[in-house]
């Protein structure tokens, strides 16, 4: 398909887009009296229009019922977390019993590693990607130290190619093979936050399990972005945040996946709390913990309702669209952004480069753009013109056209602003 870098072409793509009306379900920040060109849905998703109404409902129910809201609220607080399971399961390709919304992402990674990183004998090592998101590195290294293991010895970091900055997947398979007898866990980002590279989750998971180890995935940049089939891929565990592609609002709750193979296992250690305890006897307050036979067993506390409500407004939209249609539009938007960046680079001679893989099966919506000369200044100029993107030192602009609310016209407008900044 031949794209065109024209306003007419972009507008026509929007007219032919069956998902274009979902844009109206979100609130765009306004800069210079116009809606921003918002490309940071991979960092903080936009506010769904319905979020405020739903929040107000909860405030009203709290005022009206006090403690009785646990059972009387329109969305009762006692089973509140259950309202998320169906749509989260559809988004990550899981059974409803395999997912639960709770806590923050890093908290969940720790809770999951309590259960699934159990170094024994020679099996003490963890494989992850080099330059993982800092919080993941801190979590992994502190888990190793918690078990009395030196992270410098026991954490195997797969290095990216220094030229492309991407990780050659063969290196991951080689590291699994080379550490067959010593590997306890692989924990990696499913989509790399910096380059946008999407890894072969089923292939890597299988290789890890064939080596007798556990495969866990941080899906912060994958959930609500790429197509996932966590159950069928036999992933052991995964976690993601709610506030990136899932639009839960700042610090909103994370989601976790625990494969049903691991449910109801008595020999898996777990940090326990009353919200993981059998629902029928929870309020008789027995001394002994009796786990719910689902992923809910990993819950500690009762649901932070106000930190979850906005997510309901967003998940409704995901249910209406469905991930396959979303991904299909996402691929088209990202391909157009890629085209526009190449056009701008050609028109200006700026030598722009895209780090993210060209192969659409190896990426989601995000593109990481390298601006080799004066990148920071270019970023400041486009920001002043209403583009909201994300700057990473030394020379990278990360952008994610999000299929739920971004348009082809957004991309066209961005392209013209970028061109102007590079020509200045
Ligand atoms: C965004 C992100 C986090 C953030 O962690 P929080 O606990 O939600 O603050 C962690 N890991 C990755 C890979 C991320 O992209």
């Amino acid at each position: 398909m031949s794209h065109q870098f024209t306003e007419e072409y972009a507008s026509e793509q929007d007219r032919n887009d069956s998902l274009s009306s979902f844009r109206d379900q979100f609130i765009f920040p306004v800069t210079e009296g116009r809606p921003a060109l918002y490309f940071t849905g991979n960092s903080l998703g936009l506010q769904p229009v319905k979020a405020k109404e739903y929040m107000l409902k909860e405030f009203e129910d709290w005022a009206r019922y006090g403690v009785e809201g646990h059972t009387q609220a329109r969305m009762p607080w006692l089973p509140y977390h259950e309202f998320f399971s169906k749509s989260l399961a559809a988004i990550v390709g899981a059974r409803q019993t395999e997912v639960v919304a709770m806590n923050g992402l890093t908290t969940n990674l720790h809770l999951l590693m309590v259960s699934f990183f159990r170094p024994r004998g020679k099996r003490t090592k963890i494989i992850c990607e080099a330059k993982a998101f800092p919080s993941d590195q801190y979590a992994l290294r502190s888990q190793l130290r918690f078990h009395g293991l030196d992270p410098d010895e026991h954490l195997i970091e797969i290095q990216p190619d220094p030229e492309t900055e991407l990780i050659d997947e063969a290196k991951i398979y080689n590291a699994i093979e080379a550490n067959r007898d010593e590997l306890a866990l692989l924990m990696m980002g499913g989509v790399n936050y910096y380059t946008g590279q999407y890894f072969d989750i089923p292939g890597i998971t299988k290789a890890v399990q064939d080596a007798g180890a556990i495969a866990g995935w941080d899906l912060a940049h994958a959930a609500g972005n790429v197509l996932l089939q966590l159950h069928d891929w036999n992933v052991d565990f995964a976690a993601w945040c709610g506030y990136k592609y899932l639009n839960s609002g700042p610090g909103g709750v994370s989601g976790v996946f625990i494969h049903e193979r691991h449910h109801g296992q008595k020999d898996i250690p777990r940090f326990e709390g009353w919200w993981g305890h059998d629902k029928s006897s929870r309020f008789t307050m027995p001394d002994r913990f009796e786990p719910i036979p689902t992923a809910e067993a990993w819950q500690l506390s009762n649901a932070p309702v106000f930190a979850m409500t906005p997510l309901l407004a967003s998940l409704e939209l995901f249910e209406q669209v469905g991930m396959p249609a979303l991904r299909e539009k996402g691929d088209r938007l990202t391909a157009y952004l890629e085209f526009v960046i190449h056009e701008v680079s050609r028109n200006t001679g700026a030598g722009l480069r895209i780090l993210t893989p060209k192969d659409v099966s190896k990426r989601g919506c995000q593109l990481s753009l390298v601006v080799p000369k004066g990148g920071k200044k270019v970023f400041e100029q486009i920001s002043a013109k209403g583009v909201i993107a994300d700057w990473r030192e030394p020379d990278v602009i990360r952008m994610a056209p999000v299929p739920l609310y971004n348009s082809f016209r957004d991309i066209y407008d961005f392209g013209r602003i970028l061109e102007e900044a590079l020509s200045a």
Side-chain angles (χ1 to χ4, degrees):
M1 175 165 177
S2 60
H3 293 297
Q4 292 166 29
F5 184 24
T6 63
E7 193 184 317
E8 297 73 45
Y9 176 82
S11 300
E12 188 191 323
Q13 298 305 302
D14 287 330
R15 278 196 299 276
N16 295 335
D17 168 20
S18 60
L19 304 186
S20 61
S21 64
F22 283 90
R23 181 180 175 88
D24 304 334
Q25 298 297 320
F26 290 88
I27 304 172
F28 282 72
V30 172
T31 54
E32 316 260 321
R34 292 189 295 135
L37 298 171
Y38 195 81
F39 294 110
T40 43
N42 56 343
S43 189
L44 186 78
L46 288 179
Q47 182 180 142
V49 169
K50 288 265 174 72
K52 196 191 250 177
E53 176 193 325
Y54 290 4
M55 285 302 277
L56 284 174
K57 258 196 201 168
E58 295 307 336
F59 277 110
E60 284 165 13
D61 286 355
W62 182 23
R64 189 175 300 149
Y65 300 114
V67 72
E68 304 296 345
H70 282 109
T71 53
Q72 301 299 310
R74 282 163 282 187
M75 300 288 279
W77 305 327
L78 210 58
Y80 200 76
H81 59 278
E82 294 172 16
F83 302 135
F84 299 81
S85 305
K86 181 160 167 262
S87 11
L88 286 179
I91 287 169
V92 300
R95 308 236 155 112
Q96 282 190 47
T97 50
E98 291 175 318
V99 295
V100 61
M102 62 182 196
N103 309 316
L105 171 56
T106 310
T107 308
N108 285 333
L109 293 176
H110 276 300
L111 291 175
L112 290 164
M113 281 194 276
V114 164
S115 294
F116 298 108
F117 175 54
R118 286 168 290 158
R120 274 200 209 112
K122 273 179 25 176
R123 272 197 194 278
T124 54
K125 292 192 174 159
I126 303 178
I127 291 180
C128 72
E129 75 275 42
K131 300 190 189 164
F133 192 86
S135 200
D136 298 47
Q137 294 187 44
Y138 307 151
L140 289 166
R141 295 179 77 86
S142 62
Q143 282 282 333
L144 283 161
R145 285 198 309 274
F146 175 71
H147 287 283
L149 299 165
D150 178 357
D152 292 336
E153 258 174 58
H154 294 85
L155 189 62
I156 302 163
E157 299 183 73
I158 312 294
Q159 298 294 331
D161 180 295
E163 282 287 305
T164 65
E165 302 195 49
L166 300 177
I167 292 181
D168 177 356
E169 289 186 337
K171 273 196 185 172
I172 304 173
Y173 290 104
N174 290 343
I176 295 167
E177 194 48 41
N179 294 281
R180 259 195 105 72
D181 303 325
E182 297 178 1
L183 188 62
L185 172 70
L186 170 138
M187 205 191 79
M188 275 183 61
V191 172
N192 184 272
Y193 81 99
Y194 178 68
T195 61
Q197 181 178 7
Y198 176 26
F199 293 100
D200 176 8
I201 297 178
I204 295 168
T205 295
K206 180 162 190 317
V208 167
Q209 291 167 346
D210 287 347
I214 294 264
W217 293 90
D218 180 331
L219 301 179
H221 284 267
N225 177 18
V226 293
L227 295 178
L228 300 165
Q229 289 297 337
L230 300 184
H231 176 86
D232 289 348
W233 295 346
N234 207 31
V235 162
D236 289 288
F237 71 87
W240 54 91
C241 33
Y243 51 80
K244 290 174 178 162
Y245 291 98
L246 299 183
N247 317 306
S248 72
V253 288
S254 157
V256 305
F257 165 89
I258 298 150
H259 198 282
E260 67 180 7
R261 288 180 290 116
H262 298 302
H263 300 175
Q265 301 282 355
K266 291 263 157 48
D267 61 340
I268 294 185
R270 180 171 45 219
F271 284 171
E272 293 166 347
W274 74 322
W275 233 248
H277 180 91
D278 172 44
K279 292 173 197 179
S280 62
S281 66
R282 184 183 285 149
F283 290 97
T284 63
M285 311 271 175
D287 296 342
R288 289 294 169 82
F289 182 83
E290 201 46 60
I292 300 169
T294 70
E296 289 186 27
W298 275 263
Q299 291 181 111
L300 299 179
S301 299
N302 68 97
V305 170
F306 301 141
M308 298 175 84
T309 302
L311 183 56
L312 276 181
S314 169
L315 292 183
E316 273 177 12
L317 303 173
F318 275 90
E319 276 205 26
Q320 288 168 34
V321 182
M323 281 307 298
L326 215 51
R327 187 60 257 143
E328 197 267 327
K329 177 178 170 188
D331 280 341
R332 287 193 294 120
L333 277 177
T334 301
Y336 188 53
L337 176 60
E338 190 174 36
F339 167 80
V340 163
I341 289 170
H342 289 313
E343 286 293 290
V344 169
S345 187
R346 213 181 41 153
N347 295 348
T348 59
L352 303 177
R353 185 163 71 85
I354 294 170
L355 288 182
T356 312
K358 284 192 182 61
D359 177 351
V360 294
S361 71
K362 293 289 168 199
R363 69 185 190 194
C365 347
Q366 177 183 329
L367 291 183
S368 303
L369 166 65
V370 181
V371 185
K373 281 182 300 237
K376 189 68 197 279
K377 197 158 153 261
V378 168
F379 179 75
E380 281 162 4
Q381 280 173 320
I382 65 173
S383 301
K385 289 279 165 72
V387 174
I388 303 185
D390 176 75
W391 173 253
R392 293 278 146 162
E393 292 292 342
D395 54 9
V396 172
I397 299 175
R398 293 189 313 159
M399 306 181 56
V402 168
L404 256 183
Y405 49 72
N406 279 121
S407 64
F408 289 86
R409 181 62 199 269
D410 285 344
I411 293 169
Y412 171 79
D413 288 344
F414 157 75
R416 288 296 172 211
I417 290 171
L418 180 67
E419 190 171 59
E420 199 182 314
L422 287 166
S423 311

